[in-house]
C-alpha cells in the first residue's frame, strides 16, 4: 500500500476537480458582489475572498488531518478526505435574501450607495456567523431532525432552489448569448449526462470551461458580441491581502434577525447534506466522525464570517467519486491552499478578467438540475403530490424575483417612480396576485418545508402530525418569519411581526381539519 502522506495521481485528479468546482463558485461570488450588489473591488478582494478562503482552509485542513488519522488507525486502507468548499445554494441565498434586502432597506432610508453596501456586507457576515452557529447547534440535534422531518420536505425545497434559482436562471442566460451559451450548454449535457470519460484523465469541467472562454473571447474579437463586451474592467492591484477581523459593527443585527427565515433553512440544508456526505463516506469504508464533521462545518462558516466573508462554507458531495479514482487525504488540502493563495494575493481579480461567468455557467446549470433531479428521485413515489405542492412556494419566490427585476429594469423603484403598496396590490386586476406571491416569497423555504411535511402527513393519514405542522406554520406567521412583508419605495422586504391574516388562515384550517377528523371522517380511513 502506498504511503498516504504523499501526493498520488488520484490526488491530482481529485484536486483539479474540486478546485475547478470552487473556482466556478468563487467567480460567481465575485460576479454577484461586483455587479449585482455593486460592492467595491477593495471590499471584494481584500475582505470577502480572504475571509472565505480562510473558512475553506480550516475545513480542508481538518479533513486532511482526519483522513491521515483514519489511515494510520487502519493500515492498508486508502482513506479519502471529505471535499470541502463554498456551496452554490448559500451563494445565491445570501446574495438575494440577506444582503440585497439589507442594501435596499438602507437605500430606502436615505443612505448613500457606499453606506448601503457596507450595511449589506455587514448583514452578510453577521448572517454567515449566525448560520455557522445554527450549524454548530444542529450538530447536536441533527439525528433528531433527520428522524422527525420527512425527507421529502427538505429535498423539495432543495429541488426548487436547484431548478429555479440556479438551473432556470442560467439556462435562459445560455440562450441570451447563443454563440457561447448553446455550445457550452449542450457539450455539458453530453459529457455530464452521458458520464463520458476523457483520455488522460482530463476533467470534463476543464473542457467545458476552456470552450466557454474560447468562444466568449473569440466572438468578442470577431465583433460578434457576447458576454465579454458586457464585462466591467476590474481595476485592482494584486498584493498581500490576509484575512482581517471584520465583525466590528452589530448595528444591522435587527436586519439579519428578520432573515432567519433564510438562515435557519440554509443551516438545516447544510447539516442534512453533510449527514448524507458523511454517511456515504462511511458506506465506502471511511469512518469519519459525524459530530466532528458537522462541527467543522459550523466553525468554518463562523471563521469565514468573522474575517469578512458573507458566504458560509460546507462539505461537498463527491467523496465516493474522488475515492474511486484513487484520491487520498492530500487533494482536499491542496485545493484549500490553492484557493487561499489566489485569495490572499488578490489574484482572483486577474482570473475574473479572463473568465466571464458565462463561460462556466453551464456547469452551474448542471449543478442546479442535478440537485433537483436527485431530490425528486430520492422521494418515495407516493409522495409525488407532496413534492409538487412543496415546489409552489419556490415558484412564487422565483416569480417575485423576476417581477422585481422587471419593475426596477423598467425604471420603477426610484425616487421619481417609487414602488407603492397600492400599485402592487392593484396588479391583481391584471391577474397578478402580488399579495399572495410576496406572502409566499417571504420565508418561502420554511413554507415549502411545512407544506410538504403537511402533505406527507396527510398522505400517511397522520392527523396529529398534520396539526403539529400547521401549528408550526401559524407560529412562524405570528412571529413574522413567514408571510410578513412591507413595500418600500425600491423593494419589497421582510418584516418581523404578526402576519395576522395568515395566522388566522392557519387557525381556521386547524379547526376545519379537526372537525372533519372527529365528526365527519369514516373510521375505515384510519390507515393509508
Amino acid at each position: 500500500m502506498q504511503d498516504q502522506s504523499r501526493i498520488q495521481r488520484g490526488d491530482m485528479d481529485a484536486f483539479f476537480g474540486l478546485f475547478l468546482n470552487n473556482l466556478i463558485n468563487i467567480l460567481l461570488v465575485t460576479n454577484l458582489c461586483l455587479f449585482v450588489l455593486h460592492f467595491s473591488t477593495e471590499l471584494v478582494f481584500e475582505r470577502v475572498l480572504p475571509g472565505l478562503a480562510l473558512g475553506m482552509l480550516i475545513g480542508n485542513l481538518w479533513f486532511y488531518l482526519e483522513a491521515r488519522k483514519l489511515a494510520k488507525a487502519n493500515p492498508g486502507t486508502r482513506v479519502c478526505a471529505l471535499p470541502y468548499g463554498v456551496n452554490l445554494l448559500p451563494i445565491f441565498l445570501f446574495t438575494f435574501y440577506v444582503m440585497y434586502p439589507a442594501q435596499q432597506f438602507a437605500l430606502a432610508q436615505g443612505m448613500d450607495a457606499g453606506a448601503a453596501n457596507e450595511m449589506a456586507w455587514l448583514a452578510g457576515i453577521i448572517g454567515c456567523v449566525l448560520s455557522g452557529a445554527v450549524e454548530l447547534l444542529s450538530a447536536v440535534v441533527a439525528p433528531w431532525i433527520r428522524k422527525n422531518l420527512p425527507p421529502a420536505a427538505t429535498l423539495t425545497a432543495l429541488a426548487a432552489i436547484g431548478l429555479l434559482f440556479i438551473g432556470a436562471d442560467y439556462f435562459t442566460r445560455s440562450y441570451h448569448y447563443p454563440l457561447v451559451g448553446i455550445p457550452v450548454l449542450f457539450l455539458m449535457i453530453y459529457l455530464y449526462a452521458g458520464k463520458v470519460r476523457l483520455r488522460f484523465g482530463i476533467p470534463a469541467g476543464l473542457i467545458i470551461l476552456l470552450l466557454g472562454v474560447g468562444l466568449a473571447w473569440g466572438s468578442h474579437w470577431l465583433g460578434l458580441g457576447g458576454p465579454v463586451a458586457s464585462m466591467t474592467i476590474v481595476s485592482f492591484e494584486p498584493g498581500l491581502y490576509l484575512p482581517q477581523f471584520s465583525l466590528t459593527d452589530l448595528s444591522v443585527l435587527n436586519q439579519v434577525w428578520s432573515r432567519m427565515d433564510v438562515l435557519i433553512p440554509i443551516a438545516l440544508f447544510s447539516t442534512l447534506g453533510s449527514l448524507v456526505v458523511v454517511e456515504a463516506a462511511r458506506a465506502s469504508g471511511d469512518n469519519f466522525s459525524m459530530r466532528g464533521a458537522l462541527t467543522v462545518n459550523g466553525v468554518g462558516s463562523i471563521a469565514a464570517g468573522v474575517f469578512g466573508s458573507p458566504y458560509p462554507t460546507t462539505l461537498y458531495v463527491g467523496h465516493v467519486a474522488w475515492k474511486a479514482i484513487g484520491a487520498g487525504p492530500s487533494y482536499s488540502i491542496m485545493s484549500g491552499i490553492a484557493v487561499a493563495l489566489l485569495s490572499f494575493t488578490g489574484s482572483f481579480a486577474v482570473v475574473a478578467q479572463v473568465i466571464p461567468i458565462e463561460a462556466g455557467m453551464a456547469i452551474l446549470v448542471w449543478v442546479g438540475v442535478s440537485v433537483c433531479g436527485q431530490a425528486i428521485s430520492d422521494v418515495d413515489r407516493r409522495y409525488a403530490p407532496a413534492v409538487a405542492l412543496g415546489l409552489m412556494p419556490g415558484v412564487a419566490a422565483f416569480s417575485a424575483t423576476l417581477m422585481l427585476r422587471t419593475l426596477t429594469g423598467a425604471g420603477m423603484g426610484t425616487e421619481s417612480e417609487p414602488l407603492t403598496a397600492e400599485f402592487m396590490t392593484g396588479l391583481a386586476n391584471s391577474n397578478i396576485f402580488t399579495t399572495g406571491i410576496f406572502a409566499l416569497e417571504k420565508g418561502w423555504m420554511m413554507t415549502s418545508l411545512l407544506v410538504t411535511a403537511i402533505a406527507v402527513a396527510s398522505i400517511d393519514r397522520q392527523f396529529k402530525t398534520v396539526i403539529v405542522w400547521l401549528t408550526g406554520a401559524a407560529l412562524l406567521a405570528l412571529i413574522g418569519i413567514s408571510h410578513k412583508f412591507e413595500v418600500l419605495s425600491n423593494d419589497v422586504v421582510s418584516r418581523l411581526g404578526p402576519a395576522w391574516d395568515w395566522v388566522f388562515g392557519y387557525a381556521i384550517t386547524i379547526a376545519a381539519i379537526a372537525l372533519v377528523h372527529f365528526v365527519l371522517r369514516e373510521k375505515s380511513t384510519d390507515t393509508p
Side-chain angles (χ1 to χ4, degrees), residues 262-287:
V262 175
L263 299 178
I264 292 175
I266 289 175
L268 180 62
F269 294 156
S270 179
T271 298
L272 294 176
S274 297
L275 280 171
V276 172
V277 170
V278 176
E279 287 178 356
R282 286 179 165 184
S284 70
D286 294 346
N287 195 30

Side-chain angles (χ1 to χ4, degrees), residues 476-480 482 484 495-503:
L476 290 179
L478 182 64
I479 297 169
S482 60
K484 182 73 170 179
R495 276 287 177 268
L496 289 179
W500 286 117
D501 286 354
W502 290 272
V503 173

Side-chain angles (χ1 to χ4, degrees), residues 25-38:
N25 287 346
I26 292 174
L27 285 174
L28 180 62
V29 165
T30 303
N31 188 273
L32 292 174
C33 286
L34 289 176
F35 308 126
V36 174
L37 298 171
H38 303 292

Side-chain angles (χ1 to χ4, degrees), residues 394-438:
V395 173
F398 189 63
S399 300
T401 301
L402 293 180
M403 185 185 305
L404 288 173
R405 286 183 188 176
T406 302
L407 291 173
T408 54
M412 296 198 67
T414 62
E415 191 172 323
S416 59
E417 289 286 343
L419 298 175
T420 64
E422 293 75 18
F423 170 78
M424 301 300 280
T425 305
L427 290 174
N429 296 325
S430 301
N431 290 324
I432 303 174
F433 299 101
T434 53
T435 297
I437 289 172
F438 286 107

